[in-house]
Amino acid sequence: MGDGKALDIAAVVLPIVGGGLIGLASAMMLLLHGRITGISGIIYGVLIGPREGWRVMFLLGLLAGGAMMFQWRPSNFAMASSGGVVVVAGLLVGLGTRIGSGCTSGHGVCGVGRLSPRSMVATLVFTAVGMVVASLSQEFGGGA
Amino acid sequence: MSLRHELWTSALAGFLFATGLGLSGMTNAHRILGFLRVGENWDPTMAMVIVGAVGVFAPIYQIYRRRHHRPVFGNANHVPSSTDINGKLILGAALFGLGWGLVGLCPGPAWVSLVSLHPSAILFVIAMFGGMGLYGWFISISKPNSSS
């Protein structure tokens, strides 16, 4: 099917292009401000401190970009779970990213991009644990 | 440095970042879980997000490093210098992975997904704030002499 093939190409190209934009935005923060773009750290700063203006503006920019994308491609925004598991997962993500000093952006994109061994280890650990948990929850929970 | 420049360029970077998240599929928890659920129906395509992101970021970081860590605005470098691979790093990354694997949301896509007003996105972000607050509280009681 021609449609099926076009879909497959989009499934690979859009992640690369979208990833490139994420890398470009992170590079902007680095070249202009000398900062690593770690979303969990930026949110934590606004929540607990230091509550600097650039953090607030970055988070507002995220919402603006998200709103534009949601208008254009609402199907790209989807949740797979609801209820108690969402609360547990949110707590774990909030706590874990602070204990481990970073998430998919700070350790994953920027840290791996800097070839930081510390970030590469963190990225391997959260990806491996994420894969085990997601695979097991599908196996035993019948999928969320 | 001009504060005004720092503010609008940060907002622009945030806008670009969210566009990338939305375009790549990172805001679709089904895509993330499809990548994390390794098995017969494994969907490895989301690995391309980090390939694209690191592919753009890494060479620019090398240029930045050759310029001796000097950003355009201001002269302070805030790139983390920690190289410690310790239990705290592993524990934190493991807890994060646990939460990520349960629902397919990490902090950036979760925050950006608020625009969809999906109840699960709102619930997740509130709980994530709670987890971060818990950490902040723990830090504050473990350092009783430092007050801000």
Side-chain angles (χ1 to χ4, degrees):
Chain A
M1 283 280 290
D3 273 352
K5 200 173 177 204
L7 203 68
D8 286 346
I9 292 169
V12 176
V13 171
L14 290 181
I16 294 183
V17 174
L21 283 175
I22 292 168
L24 194 65
S26 306
M28 256 182 83
M29 293 303 285
L30 179 77
L31 286 181
L32 298 179
H33 307 308
R35 291 186 192 279
I36 287 302
T37 308
I39 310 288
S40 60
I42 294 174
I43 292 176
Y44 185 75
V46 173
L47 213 58
I48 310 286
R51 198 170 284 137
E52 297 151 306
W54 70 271
R55 295 175 189 268
V56 177
M57 293 305 284
F58 187 88
L59 292 183
L60 291 177
L62 278 180
L63 291 181
M68 182 195 73
M69 285 307 297
F70 186 63
Q71 286 302 311
W72 186 42
R73 290 274 166 92
S75 61
N76 279 17
F77 291 73
M79 296 288 135
S81 333
S82 58
V85 67
V86 174
V87 176
V88 172
L91 273 168
L92 286 168
V93 167
L95 194 61
T97 52
R98 288 304 76 213
I99 293 175
S101 314
C103 58
T104 358
S105 50
H107 279 316
V109 175
C110 297
V112 170
R114 292 192 299 126
L115 303 176
S116 153
R118 179 176 146 84
S119 288
M120 288 195 235
V121 168
T123 304
L124 280 178
V125 170
F126 66 66
T127 305
V129 173
M131 282 179 162
V132 169
V133 171
S135 304
L136 286 179
S137 72
Q138 183 183 37
E139 197 76 20
F140 297 108
Chain B
M1 129 172 77
S2 160
L3 179 66
R4 201 162 54 93
H5 287 319
E6 185 179 28
L7 293 181
W8 79 258
T9 51
S10 296
L12 180 63
F15 187 90
L16 270 179
F17 199 102
T19 306
L21 287 176
L23 197 65
S24 64
M26 289 295 292
T27 49
N28 183 344
H30 295 288
R31 289 288 301 273
I32 301 298
L33 290 177
F35 168 70
L36 292 177
R37 283 175 179 157
V38 185
E40 307 165 53
N41 299 319
W42 186 43
D43 169 21
T45 52
M46 290 308 282
M48 289 300 119
V49 178
I50 195 160
V51 171
V54 169
V56 171
F57 182 82
I60 296 176
Y61 174 75
Q62 290 306 321
I63 295 169
Y64 178 78
R65 226 169 63 123
R66 299 235 165 87
R67 291 182 47 192
H68 307 289
H69 301 90
R70 203 154 303 189
V72 172
F73 300 132
N75 39 32
N77 172 53
H78 306 278
V79 175
S81 52
S82 168
T83 54
D84 264 13
I85 298 172
N86 51 25
K88 189 169 178 266
L89 180 81
I90 308 287
L91 173 72
L95 290 177
F96 166 43
L98 189 57
W100 193 34
L102 280 176
V103 300
L105 281 174
C106 54
W111 173 260
V112 167
S113 293
L114 287 177
V115 301
S116 72
L117 299 178
H118 194 292
S120 289
I122 298 170
L123 202 58
F124 183 92
V125 170
I126 292 172
M128 182 173 77
F129 283 3
M132 290 178 173
L134 207 63
Y135 177 80
W137 171 76
F138 182 74
I139 290 297
S140 71
I141 59 162
S142 62
K143 287 183 202 159
N145 292 326
S146 70
S147 59
S148 54

